[in-house]
Amino acid sequence: MSFQQLAMPQHIKITVSRKTLFEDSFQQIMSFSPQDLRRRLWVIFPGEEGLDYGGVAREWFFLLSHEVLNPMYCLFEYAGKDNYCLQINPASYINPDHLKYFRFIGRFIAMALFHGKFIDTGFSLPFYKRILNKPVGLKDLESVDPEFYNSLIWVK
């Protein structure tokens, strides 16, 4: 059974301002049930009304992925100085709402996967393995920080 066959027939409307994209999207996505998020999306940027045949939704996914996964929000950080894959920032707790935001980001990524939309970033291999409930081993650290991995192998 494909994702499209699981989709609900009605659509949900998401109205977001470009200036407050993160907060507007957070409020609206978290107000819907997970079941509702499987419905067809109708994304509206106020002042830019028009027919959405998927292009506006595609742009929303792309823009929001840049916002929510931006390391400047302290929720994620780059895996290494030469590695631009993302991982959870250990200091994310400085934001009192960080757990709510992680839940929102999880829903957003699930929506992107379900609706077949592109998000412009990637996570580290250990992060994907944790999401999939696969065991993370020492070898997985090599993709994140080769120097640290080699040091651990040398110590071992």
mmCIF file of all heavy atoms in Angstrom, residues 64-71 74-80 83-89 101-110 112-113 118-132 140 143-145:
data_model
loop_
_atom_site.group_PDB
_atom_site.id
_atom_site.type_symbol
_atom_site.label_atom_id
_atom_site.label_comp_id
_atom_site.label_asym_id
_atom_site.label_seq_id
_atom_site.Cartn_x
_atom_site.Cartn_y
_atom_site.Cartn_z
ATOM 1 N N LEU A 64 10.698 25.916 5.266
ATOM 2 C CA LEU A 64 10.602 25.532 6.671
ATOM 3 C C LEU A 64 11.741 24.594 7.071
ATOM 4 O O LEU A 64 12.230 24.661 8.184
ATOM 5 C CB LEU A 64 9.243 24.911 6.977
ATOM 6 C CG LEU A 64 8.936 24.671 8.446
ATOM 7 C CD1 LEU A 64 9.070 25.947 9.277
ATOM 8 C CD2 LEU A 64 7.538 24.077 8.617
ATOM 9 N N SER A 65 12.191 23.749 6.156
ATOM 10 C CA SER A 65 13.323 22.873 6.489
ATOM 11 C C SER A 65 14.567 23.702 6.789
ATOM 12 O O SER A 65 15.349 23.355 7.676
ATOM 13 C CB SER A 65 13.596 21.862 5.374
ATOM 14 O OG SER A 65 14.110 22.463 4.206
ATOM 15 N N HIS A 66 14.746 24.795 6.078
ATOM 16 C CA HIS A 66 15.877 25.686 6.374
ATOM 17 C C HIS A 66 15.729 26.324 7.745
ATOM 18 O O HIS A 66 16.708 26.513 8.454
ATOM 19 C CB HIS A 66 16.005 26.774 5.300
ATOM 20 C CG HIS A 66 16.744 26.323 4.102
ATOM 21 N ND1 HIS A 66 18.107 26.346 4.011
ATOM 22 C CD2 HIS A 66 16.305 25.807 2.934
ATOM 23 C CE1 HIS A 66 18.482 25.882 2.848
ATOM 24 N NE2 HIS A 66 17.406 25.538 2.171
ATOM 25 N N GLU A 67 14.495 26.671 8.115
ATOM 26 C CA GLU A 67 14.242 27.300 9.407
ATOM 27 C C GLU A 67 14.440 26.332 10.569
ATOM 28 O O GLU A 67 15.200 26.599 11.481
ATOM 29 C CB GLU A 67 12.810 27.843 9.474
ATOM 30 C CG GLU A 67 12.591 29.149 8.780
ATOM 31 C CD GLU A 67 13.290 30.302 9.472
ATOM 32 O OE1 GLU A 67 13.060 30.546 10.676
ATOM 33 O OE2 GLU A 67 14.065 30.975 8.790
ATOM 34 N N VAL A 68 13.713 25.213 10.553
ATOM 35 C CA VAL A 68 13.690 24.328 11.719
ATOM 36 C C VAL A 68 15.009 23.608 11.935
ATOM 37 O O VAL A 68 15.339 23.243 13.069
ATOM 38 C CB VAL A 68 12.534 23.300 11.666
ATOM 39 C CG1 VAL A 68 11.199 23.989 11.623
ATOM 40 C CG2 VAL A 68 12.689 22.316 10.536
ATOM 41 N N LEU A 69 15.764 23.391 10.878
ATOM 42 C CA LEU A 69 17.018 22.660 11.018
ATOM 43 C C LEU A 69 18.231 23.582 11.062
ATOM 44 O O LEU A 69 19.368 23.120 11.057
ATOM 45 C CB LEU A 69 17.140 21.636 9.876
ATOM 46 C CG LEU A 69 15.975 20.642 9.831
ATOM 47 C CD1 LEU A 69 16.071 19.770 8.592
ATOM 48 C CD2 LEU A 69 15.910 19.794 11.077
ATOM 49 N N ASN A 70 17.991 24.871 11.147
ATOM 50 C CA ASN A 70 19.066 25.856 11.205
ATOM 51 C C ASN A 70 19.784 25.748 12.553
ATOM 52 O O ASN A 70 19.163 25.912 13.609
ATOM 53 C CB ASN A 70 18.473 27.261 11.033
ATOM 54 C CG ASN A 70 19.519 28.338 10.949
ATOM 55 O OD1 ASN A 70 20.647 28.166 11.392
ATOM 56 N ND2 ASN A 70 19.135 29.454 10.376
ATOM 57 N N PRO A 71 21.097 25.469 12.543
ATOM 58 C CA PRO A 71 21.843 25.341 13.811
ATOM 59 C C PRO A 71 21.778 26.595 14.694
ATOM 60 O O PRO A 71 22.024 26.511 15.889
ATOM 61 C CB PRO A 71 23.276 25.058 13.360
ATOM 62 C CG PRO A 71 23.130 24.431 12.020
ATOM 63 C CD PRO A 71 21.938 25.116 11.392
ATOM 64 N N CYS A 74 19.804 26.436 17.909
ATOM 65 C CA CYS A 74 20.366 25.625 18.998
ATOM 66 C C CYS A 74 19.652 24.284 19.178
ATOM 67 O O CYS A 74 19.876 23.615 20.173
ATOM 68 C CB CYS A 74 20.355 26.380 20.317
ATOM 69 S SG CYS A 74 21.991 26.883 20.800
ATOM 70 N N LEU A 75 18.797 23.880 18.265
ATOM 71 C CA LEU A 75 18.161 22.577 18.367
ATOM 72 C C LEU A 75 19.053 21.506 17.734
ATOM 73 O O LEU A 75 19.115 20.380 18.208
ATOM 74 C CB LEU A 75 16.794 22.591 17.684
ATOM 75 C CG LEU A 75 15.763 23.530 18.307
ATOM 76 C CD1 LEU A 75 14.516 23.611 17.443
ATOM 77 C CD2 LEU A 75 15.418 23.079 19.721
ATOM 78 N N PHE A 76 19.730 21.870 16.662
ATOM 79 C CA PHE A 76 20.632 20.962 15.960
ATOM 80 C C PHE A 76 21.991 21.620 15.809
ATOM 81 O O PHE A 76 22.116 22.836 15.893
ATOM 82 C CB PHE A 76 20.076 20.615 14.569
ATOM 83 C CG PHE A 76 18.794 19.832 14.618
ATOM 84 C CD1 PHE A 76 17.581 20.482 14.519
ATOM 85 C CD2 PHE A 76 18.808 18.466 14.785
ATOM 86 C CE1 PHE A 76 16.384 19.773 14.579
ATOM 87 C CE2 PHE A 76 17.625 17.748 14.844
ATOM 88 C CZ PHE A 76 16.416 18.400 14.744
ATOM 89 N N GLU A 77 22.995 20.793 15.580
ATOM 90 C CA GLU A 77 24.335 21.298 15.307
ATOM 91 C C GLU A 77 24.931 20.434 14.210
ATOM 92 O O GLU A 77 24.461 19.326 13.951
ATOM 93 C CB GLU A 77 25.211 21.244 16.559
ATOM 94 C CG GLU A 77 25.509 19.838 17.039
ATOM 95 C CD GLU A 77 26.368 19.786 18.297
ATOM 96 O OE1 GLU A 77 26.668 20.842 18.873
ATOM 97 O OE2 GLU A 77 26.748 18.673 18.681
ATOM 98 N N TYR A 78 25.971 20.969 13.561
ATOM 99 C CA TYR A 78 26.665 20.174 12.560
ATOM 100 C C TYR A 78 27.466 19.091 13.262
ATOM 101 O O TYR A 78 27.995 19.298 14.348
ATOM 102 C CB TYR A 78 27.571 21.051 11.702
ATOM 103 C CG TYR A 78 26.791 22.007 10.823
ATOM 104 C CD1 TYR A 78 26.923 23.372 10.948
ATOM 105 C CD2 TYR A 78 25.910 21.510 9.861
ATOM 106 C CE1 TYR A 78 26.199 24.238 10.153
ATOM 107 C CE2 TYR A 78 25.179 22.370 9.059
ATOM 108 C CZ TYR A 78 25.325 23.724 9.207
ATOM 109 O OH TYR A 78 24.597 24.570 8.415
ATOM 110 N N ALA A 79 27.542 17.926 12.629
ATOM 111 C CA ALA A 79 28.190 16.768 13.244
ATOM 112 C C ALA A 79 29.691 16.978 13.442
ATOM 113 O O ALA A 79 30.286 16.398 14.343
ATOM 114 C CB ALA A 79 27.938 15.513 12.410
ATOM 115 N N GLY A 80 30.300 17.791 12.630
ATOM 116 C CA GLY A 80 31.734 18.050 12.775
ATOM 117 C C GLY A 80 32.132 19.279 11.987
ATOM 118 O O GLY A 80 31.334 19.831 11.241
ATOM 119 N N ASN A 83 31.890 18.242 8.533
ATOM 120 C CA ASN A 83 30.743 17.378 8.292
ATOM 121 C C ASN A 83 29.474 18.201 8.492
ATOM 122 O O ASN A 83 29.175 18.628 9.597
ATOM 123 C CB ASN A 83 30.773 16.191 9.270
ATOM 124 C CG ASN A 83 29.700 15.179 9.000
ATOM 125 O OD1 ASN A 83 28.716 15.464 8.333
ATOM 126 N ND2 ASN A 83 29.870 13.996 9.535
ATOM 127 N N TYR A 84 28.738 18.427 7.423
ATOM 128 C CA TYR A 84 27.559 19.284 7.497
ATOM 129 C C TYR A 84 26.265 18.508 7.723
ATOM 130 O O TYR A 84 25.185 19.031 7.515
ATOM 131 C CB TYR A 84 27.468 20.180 6.257
ATOM 132 C CG TYR A 84 28.622 21.135 6.199
ATOM 133 C CD1 TYR A 84 29.655 20.945 5.288
ATOM 134 C CD2 TYR A 84 28.714 22.190 7.085
ATOM 135 C CE1 TYR A 84 30.742 21.804 5.259
ATOM 136 C CE2 TYR A 84 29.791 23.055 7.070
ATOM 137 C CZ TYR A 84 30.803 22.851 6.150
ATOM 138 O OH TYR A 84 31.878 23.706 6.130
ATOM 139 N N CYS A 85 26.394 17.253 8.162
ATOM 140 C CA CYS A 85 25.213 16.497 8.585
ATOM 141 C C CYS A 85 24.810 17.009 9.965
ATOM 142 O O CYS A 85 25.652 17.435 10.748
ATOM 143 C CB CYS A 85 25.530 15.008 8.669
ATOM 144 S SG CYS A 85 25.858 14.262 7.074
ATOM 145 N N LEU A 86 23.527 16.939 10.260
ATOM 146 C CA LEU A 86 23.026 17.466 11.523
ATOM 147 C C LEU A 86 22.849 16.372 12.565
ATOM 148 O O LEU A 86 22.597 15.219 12.239
ATOM 149 C CB LEU A 86 21.691 18.161 11.298
ATOM 150 C CG LEU A 86 21.732 19.407 10.425
ATOM 151 C CD1 LEU A 86 20.325 19.890 10.134
ATOM 152 C CD2 LEU A 86 22.542 20.506 11.074
ATOM 153 N N GLN A 87 22.987 16.789 13.809
ATOM 154 C CA GLN A 87 22.686 15.938 14.959
ATOM 155 C C GLN A 87 22.070 16.836 16.024
ATOM 156 O O GLN A 87 22.155 18.058 15.942
ATOM 157 C CB GLN A 87 23.936 15.238 15.476
ATOM 158 C CG GLN A 87 25.017 16.173 15.972
ATOM 159 C CD GLN A 87 26.313 15.453 16.286
ATOM 160 O OE1 GLN A 87 26.517 14.321 15.908
ATOM 161 N NE2 GLN A 87 27.198 16.137 16.978
ATOM 162 N N ILE A 88 21.432 16.226 17.017
ATOM 163 C CA ILE A 88 20.808 17.016 18.083
ATOM 164 C C ILE A 88 21.886 17.750 18.869
ATOM 165 O O ILE A 88 22.915 17.177 19.218
ATOM 166 C CB ILE A 88 19.962 16.115 18.990
ATOM 167 C CG1 ILE A 88 18.748 15.617 18.206
ATOM 168 C CG2 ILE A 88 19.520 16.857 20.245
ATOM 169 C CD1 ILE A 88 17.860 14.667 18.958
ATOM 170 N N ASN A 89 21.640 19.008 19.134
ATOM 171 C CA ASN A 89 22.568 19.826 19.897
ATOM 172 C C ASN A 89 22.414 19.488 21.385
ATOM 173 O O ASN A 89 21.315 19.611 21.935
ATOM 174 C CB ASN A 89 22.259 21.307 19.655
ATOM 175 C CG ASN A 89 23.260 22.231 20.285
ATOM 176 O OD1 ASN A 89 23.962 21.872 21.227
ATOM 177 N ND2 ASN A 89 23.332 23.442 19.768
ATOM 178 N N TYR A 101 9.463 21.698 20.330
ATOM 179 C CA TYR A 101 9.986 21.960 18.990
ATOM 180 C C TYR A 101 10.484 20.674 18.331
ATOM 181 O O TYR A 101 10.286 20.474 17.129
ATOM 182 C CB TYR A 101 11.094 23.010 19.023
ATOM 183 C CG TYR A 101 10.587 24.410 19.281
ATOM 184 C CD1 TYR A 101 11.260 25.272 20.126
ATOM 185 C CD2 TYR A 101 9.421 24.881 18.675
ATOM 186 C CE1 TYR A 101 10.794 26.555 20.364
ATOM 187 C CE2 TYR A 101 8.948 26.156 18.903
ATOM 188 C CZ TYR A 101 9.647 26.993 19.747
ATOM 189 O OH TYR A 101 9.178 28.261 19.976
ATOM 190 N N PHE A 102 11.113 19.787 19.096
ATOM 191 C CA PHE A 102 11.561 18.515 18.518
ATOM 192 C C PHE A 102 10.360 17.683 18.066
ATOM 193 O O PHE A 102 10.398 17.027 17.026
ATOM 194 C CB PHE A 102 12.420 17.719 19.496
ATOM 195 C CG PHE A 102 13.845 18.218 19.587
ATOM 196 C CD1 PHE A 102 14.411 18.492 20.819
ATOM 197 C CD2 PHE A 102 14.612 18.399 18.457
ATOM 198 C CE1 PHE A 102 15.721 18.946 20.910
ATOM 199 C CE2 PHE A 102 15.922 18.852 18.526
ATOM 200 C CZ PHE A 102 16.477 19.126 19.765
ATOM 201 N N ARG A 103 9.294 17.711 18.839
ATOM 202 C CA ARG A 103 8.085 16.988 18.437
ATOM 203 C C ARG A 103 7.517 17.582 17.152
ATOM 204 O O ARG A 103 7.103 16.861 16.240
ATOM 205 C CB ARG A 103 7.056 17.043 19.561
ATOM 206 C CG ARG A 103 5.863 16.203 19.266
ATOM 207 C CD ARG A 103 4.952 16.100 20.436
ATOM 208 N NE ARG A 103 3.907 15.157 20.079
ATOM 209 C CZ ARG A 103 3.103 14.604 20.911
ATOM 210 N NH1 ARG A 103 3.205 14.877 22.191
ATOM 211 N NH2 ARG A 103 2.181 13.794 20.501
ATOM 212 N N PHE A 104 7.498 18.901 17.072
ATOM 213 C CA PHE A 104 7.042 19.598 15.871
ATOM 214 C C PHE A 104 7.913 19.215 14.672
ATOM 215 O O PHE A 104 7.398 18.896 13.592
ATOM 216 C CB PHE A 104 7.076 21.111 16.123
ATOM 217 C CG PHE A 104 7.165 21.971 14.897
ATOM 218 C CD1 PHE A 104 6.156 21.971 13.943
ATOM 219 C CD2 PHE A 104 8.259 22.801 14.704
ATOM 220 C CE1 PHE A 104 6.241 22.790 12.823
ATOM 221 C CE2 PHE A 104 8.346 23.611 13.596
ATOM 222 C CZ PHE A 104 7.339 23.603 12.649
ATOM 223 N N ILE A 105 9.223 19.212 14.854
ATOM 224 C CA ILE A 105 10.134 18.883 13.759
ATOM 225 C C ILE A 105 9.943 17.432 13.317
ATOM 226 O O ILE A 105 9.971 17.124 12.127
ATOM 227 C CB ILE A 105 11.594 19.181 14.169
ATOM 228 C CG1 ILE A 105 11.777 20.692 14.321
ATOM 229 C CG2 ILE A 105 12.576 18.616 13.149
ATOM 230 C CD1 ILE A 105 13.039 21.112 15.048
ATOM 231 N N GLY A 106 9.695 16.543 14.270
ATOM 232 C CA GLY A 106 9.403 15.156 13.927
ATOM 233 C C GLY A 106 8.156 15.043 13.070
ATOM 234 O O GLY A 106 8.121 14.307 12.079
ATOM 235 N N ARG A 107 7.118 15.784 13.442
ATOM 236 C CA ARG A 107 5.889 15.790 12.645
ATOM 237 C C ARG A 107 6.140 16.366 11.254
ATOM 238 O O ARG A 107 5.637 15.852 10.255
ATOM 239 C CB ARG A 107 4.793 16.618 13.331
ATOM 240 C CG ARG A 107 4.108 15.911 14.454
ATOM 241 C CD ARG A 107 2.990 16.767 14.983
ATOM 242 N NE ARG A 107 2.162 15.986 15.893
ATOM 243 C CZ ARG A 107 0.941 16.306 16.228
ATOM 244 N NH1 ARG A 107 0.385 17.399 15.751
ATOM 245 N NH2 ARG A 107 0.260 15.553 17.056
ATOM 246 N N PHE A 108 6.917 17.436 11.211
ATOM 247 C CA PHE A 108 7.221 18.087 9.933
ATOM 248 C C PHE A 108 7.973 17.127 9.010
ATOM 249 O O PHE A 108 7.633 16.998 7.825
ATOM 250 C CB PHE A 108 8.023 19.370 10.184
ATOM 251 C CG PHE A 108 8.591 19.982 8.942
ATOM 252 C CD1 PHE A 108 7.753 20.578 8.003
ATOM 253 C CD2 PHE A 108 9.954 19.957 8.706
ATOM 254 C CE1 PHE A 108 8.273 21.141 6.850
ATOM 255 C CE2 PHE A 108 10.479 20.521 7.552
ATOM 256 C CZ PHE A 108 9.640 21.112 6.621
ATOM 257 N N ILE A 109 8.980 16.443 9.539
ATOM 258 C CA ILE A 109 9.750 15.500 8.719
ATOM 259 C C ILE A 109 8.864 14.336 8.278
ATOM 260 O O ILE A 109 8.927 13.888 7.132
ATOM 261 C CB ILE A 109 11.005 15.028 9.474
ATOM 262 C CG1 ILE A 109 11.986 16.203 9.611
ATOM 263 C CG2 ILE A 109 11.673 13.856 8.754
ATOM 264 C CD1 ILE A 109 13.165 15.933 10.513
ATOM 265 N N ALA A 110 8.007 13.856 9.180
ATOM 266 C CA ALA A 110 7.076 12.785 8.813
ATOM 267 C C ALA A 110 6.137 13.254 7.697
ATOM 268 O O ALA A 110 5.846 12.501 6.764
ATOM 269 C CB ALA A 110 6.278 12.334 10.039
ATOM 270 N N ALA A 112 6.814 15.530 5.425
ATOM 271 C CA ALA A 112 7.606 15.602 4.195
ATOM 272 C C ALA A 112 7.753 14.209 3.578
ATOM 273 O O ALA A 112 7.590 14.038 2.363
ATOM 274 C CB ALA A 112 8.978 16.215 4.485
ATOM 275 N N LEU A 113 8.045 13.217 4.405
ATOM 276 C CA LEU A 113 8.164 11.847 3.893
ATOM 277 C C LEU A 113 6.830 11.359 3.337
ATOM 278 O O LEU A 113 6.768 10.781 2.247
ATOM 279 C CB LEU A 113 8.643 10.908 5.000
ATOM 280 C CG LEU A 113 10.088 11.076 5.453
ATOM 281 C CD1 LEU A 113 10.341 10.268 6.711
ATOM 282 C CD2 LEU A 113 11.047 10.675 4.347
ATOM 283 N N PHE A 118 10.606 17.427 -0.594
ATOM 284 C CA PHE A 118 12.037 17.537 -0.367
ATOM 285 C C PHE A 118 12.309 18.478 0.810
ATOM 286 O O PHE A 118 11.728 19.548 0.891
ATOM 287 C CB PHE A 118 12.686 18.090 -1.638
ATOM 288 C CG PHE A 118 14.161 18.318 -1.534
ATOM 289 C CD1 PHE A 118 15.033 17.248 -1.505
ATOM 290 C CD2 PHE A 118 14.674 19.598 -1.481
ATOM 291 C CE1 PHE A 118 16.398 17.454 -1.421
ATOM 292 C CE2 PHE A 118 16.031 19.814 -1.404
ATOM 293 C CZ PHE A 118 16.891 18.739 -1.376
ATOM 294 N N ILE A 119 13.187 18.051 1.730
ATOM 295 C CA ILE A 119 13.703 18.966 2.746
ATOM 296 C C ILE A 119 15.197 19.052 2.534
ATOM 297 O O ILE A 119 15.854 18.067 2.216
ATOM 298 C CB ILE A 119 13.340 18.552 4.190
ATOM 299 C CG1 ILE A 119 13.831 17.165 4.527
ATOM 300 C CG2 ILE A 119 11.847 18.652 4.423
ATOM 301 C CD1 ILE A 119 13.654 16.807 5.983
ATOM 302 N N ASP A 120 15.714 20.222 2.677
ATOM 303 C CA ASP A 120 17.074 20.505 2.256
ATOM 304 C C ASP A 120 18.080 20.338 3.384
ATOM 305 O O ASP A 120 18.630 21.308 3.874
ATOM 306 C CB ASP A 120 17.142 21.926 1.693
ATOM 307 C CG ASP A 120 18.476 22.211 1.041
ATOM 308 O OD1 ASP A 120 19.069 21.278 0.492
ATOM 309 O OD2 ASP A 120 18.923 23.373 1.088
ATOM 310 N N THR A 121 18.317 19.110 3.793
ATOM 311 C CA THR A 121 19.362 18.841 4.779
ATOM 312 C C THR A 121 19.495 17.343 4.969
ATOM 313 O O THR A 121 18.753 16.560 4.397
ATOM 314 C CB THR A 121 19.072 19.526 6.126
ATOM 315 O OG1 THR A 121 20.253 19.519 6.906
ATOM 316 C CG2 THR A 121 17.958 18.839 6.884
ATOM 317 N N GLY A 122 20.432 16.955 5.803
ATOM 318 C CA GLY A 122 20.601 15.543 6.121
ATOM 319 C C GLY A 122 21.113 15.403 7.538
ATOM 320 O O GLY A 122 21.701 16.333 8.096
ATOM 321 N N PHE A 123 20.870 14.252 8.114
ATOM 322 C CA PHE A 123 21.311 13.980 9.477
ATOM 323 C C PHE A 123 22.493 13.025 9.456
ATOM 324 O O PHE A 123 22.786 12.402 8.436
ATOM 325 C CB PHE A 123 20.154 13.392 10.297
ATOM 326 C CG PHE A 123 19.018 14.341 10.486
ATOM 327 C CD1 PHE A 123 17.856 14.209 9.746
ATOM 328 C CD2 PHE A 123 19.106 15.373 11.402
ATOM 329 C CE1 PHE A 123 16.803 15.095 9.914
ATOM 330 C CE2 PHE A 123 18.057 16.266 11.573
ATOM 331 C CZ PHE A 123 16.904 16.119 10.829
ATOM 332 N N SER A 124 23.143 12.891 10.587
ATOM 333 C CA SER A 124 24.270 11.971 10.697
ATOM 334 C C SER A 124 23.760 10.524 10.723
ATOM 335 O O SER A 124 22.610 10.253 11.082
ATOM 336 C CB SER A 124 25.082 12.271 11.963
ATOM 337 O OG SER A 124 24.303 12.019 13.106
ATOM 338 N N LEU A 125 24.627 9.589 10.347
ATOM 339 C CA LEU A 125 24.269 8.174 10.319
ATOM 340 C C LEU A 125 23.778 7.671 11.679
ATOM 341 O O LEU A 125 22.736 7.005 11.749
ATOM 342 C CB LEU A 125 25.458 7.337 9.819
ATOM 343 C CG LEU A 125 25.242 5.833 9.776
ATOM 344 C CD1 LEU A 125 24.111 5.467 8.815
ATOM 345 C CD2 LEU A 125 26.524 5.133 9.378
ATOM 346 N N PRO A 126 24.469 7.991 12.793
ATOM 347 C CA PRO A 126 23.948 7.541 14.095
ATOM 348 C C PRO A 126 22.552 8.089 14.404
ATOM 349 O O PRO A 126 21.733 7.407 15.010
ATOM 350 C CB PRO A 126 24.978 8.058 15.104
ATOM 351 C CG PRO A 126 26.234 8.212 14.319
ATOM 352 C CD PRO A 126 25.784 8.614 12.942
ATOM 353 N N PHE A 127 22.258 9.301 13.959
ATOM 354 C CA PHE A 127 20.937 9.890 14.174
ATOM 355 C C PHE A 127 19.866 9.072 13.448
ATOM 356 O O PHE A 127 18.835 8.732 14.025
ATOM 357 C CB PHE A 127 20.940 11.346 13.692
ATOM 358 C CG PHE A 127 19.675 12.098 14.006
ATOM 359 C CD1 PHE A 127 19.531 12.745 15.218
ATOM 360 C CD2 PHE A 127 18.634 12.162 13.094
ATOM 361 C CE1 PHE A 127 18.363 13.445 15.518
ATOM 362 C CE2 PHE A 127 17.474 12.853 13.385
ATOM 363 C CZ PHE A 127 17.333 13.493 14.601
ATOM 364 N N TYR A 128 20.118 8.762 12.165
ATOM 365 C CA TYR A 128 19.168 7.932 11.414
ATOM 366 C C TYR A 128 18.995 6.570 12.072
ATOM 367 O O TYR A 128 17.892 6.041 12.154
ATOM 368 C CB TYR A 128 19.630 7.742 9.969
ATOM 369 C CG TYR A 128 19.438 8.954 9.089
ATOM 370 C CD1 TYR A 128 20.509 9.512 8.398
ATOM 371 C CD2 TYR A 128 18.184 9.534 8.918
ATOM 372 C CE1 TYR A 128 20.337 10.609 7.577
ATOM 373 C CE2 TYR A 128 18.011 10.632 8.103
ATOM 374 C CZ TYR A 128 19.088 11.165 7.438
ATOM 375 O OH TYR A 128 18.917 12.262 6.625
ATOM 376 N N LYS A 129 20.088 5.978 12.534
ATOM 377 C CA LYS A 129 19.999 4.665 13.169
ATOM 378 C C LYS A 129 19.151 4.721 14.437
ATOM 379 O O LYS A 129 18.383 3.806 14.712
ATOM 380 C CB LYS A 129 21.402 4.118 13.482
ATOM 381 C CG LYS A 129 22.092 3.546 12.266
ATOM 382 C CD LYS A 129 23.374 2.865 12.683
ATOM 383 C CE LYS A 129 23.757 1.807 11.682
ATOM 384 N NZ LYS A 129 24.892 1.018 12.147
ATOM 385 N N ARG A 130 19.277 5.780 15.205
ATOM 386 C CA ARG A 130 18.461 5.916 16.419
ATOM 387 C C ARG A 130 16.979 6.070 16.055
ATOM 388 O O ARG A 130 16.117 5.514 16.716
ATOM 389 C CB ARG A 130 18.918 7.103 17.268
ATOM 390 C CG ARG A 130 20.257 6.915 17.928
ATOM 391 C CD ARG A 130 20.302 5.762 18.926
ATOM 392 N NE ARG A 130 19.295 5.915 19.937
ATOM 393 C CZ ARG A 130 18.604 4.908 20.488
ATOM 394 N NH1 ARG A 130 18.825 3.680 20.142
ATOM 395 N NH2 ARG A 130 17.695 5.146 21.405
ATOM 396 N N ILE A 131 16.689 6.837 15.014
ATOM 397 C CA ILE A 131 15.308 7.002 14.573
ATOM 398 C C ILE A 131 14.719 5.646 14.191
ATOM 399 O O ILE A 131 13.564 5.349 14.494
ATOM 400 C CB ILE A 131 15.215 7.985 13.378
ATOM 401 C CG1 ILE A 131 15.484 9.413 13.838
ATOM 402 C CG2 ILE A 131 13.840 7.906 12.711
ATOM 403 C CD1 ILE A 131 15.572 10.413 12.704
ATOM 404 N N LEU A 132 15.525 4.823 13.526
ATOM 405 C CA LEU A 132 15.059 3.515 13.058
ATOM 406 C C LEU A 132 15.197 2.422 14.114
ATOM 407 O O LEU A 132 14.926 1.262 13.842
ATOM 408 C CB LEU A 132 15.839 3.118 11.796
ATOM 409 C CG LEU A 132 15.621 4.026 10.591
ATOM 410 C CD1 LEU A 132 16.617 3.701 9.481
ATOM 411 C CD2 LEU A 132 14.194 3.905 10.090
ATOM 412 N N ASP A 140 30.110 3.580 13.521
ATOM 413 C CA ASP A 140 29.234 4.673 13.076
ATOM 414 C C ASP A 140 29.813 6.051 13.400
ATOM 415 O O ASP A 140 29.481 7.035 12.740
ATOM 416 C CB ASP A 140 27.847 4.543 13.706
ATOM 417 C CG ASP A 140 27.152 3.262 13.276
ATOM 418 O OD1 ASP A 140 27.303 2.872 12.110
ATOM 419 O OD2 ASP A 140 26.473 2.654 14.118
ATOM 420 N N SER A 143 31.750 8.207 10.586
ATOM 421 C CA SER A 143 31.070 9.121 9.661
ATOM 422 C C SER A 143 30.856 10.502 10.274
ATOM 423 O O SER A 143 30.681 11.477 9.562
ATOM 424 C CB SER A 143 29.731 8.530 9.212
ATOM 425 O OG SER A 143 28.828 8.468 10.294
ATOM 426 N N VAL A 144 30.853 10.575 11.598
ATOM 427 C CA VAL A 144 30.618 11.851 12.283
ATOM 428 C C VAL A 144 31.929 12.590 12.520
ATOM 429 O O VAL A 144 32.062 13.763 12.205
ATOM 430 C CB VAL A 144 29.890 11.625 13.629
ATOM 431 C CG1 VAL A 144 29.745 12.929 14.392
ATOM 432 C CG2 VAL A 144 28.549 10.978 13.405
ATOM 433 N N ASP A 145 32.893 11.893 13.097
ATOM 434 C CA ASP A 145 34.174 12.515 13.449
ATOM 435 C C ASP A 145 35.291 11.498 13.255
ATOM 436 O O ASP A 145 35.629 10.749 14.179
ATOM 437 C CB ASP A 145 34.124 12.997 14.891
ATOM 438 C CG ASP A 145 35.312 13.860 15.280
ATOM 439 O OD1 ASP A 145 36.358 13.799 14.589
ATOM 440 O OD2 ASP A 145 35.211 14.581 16.280
#
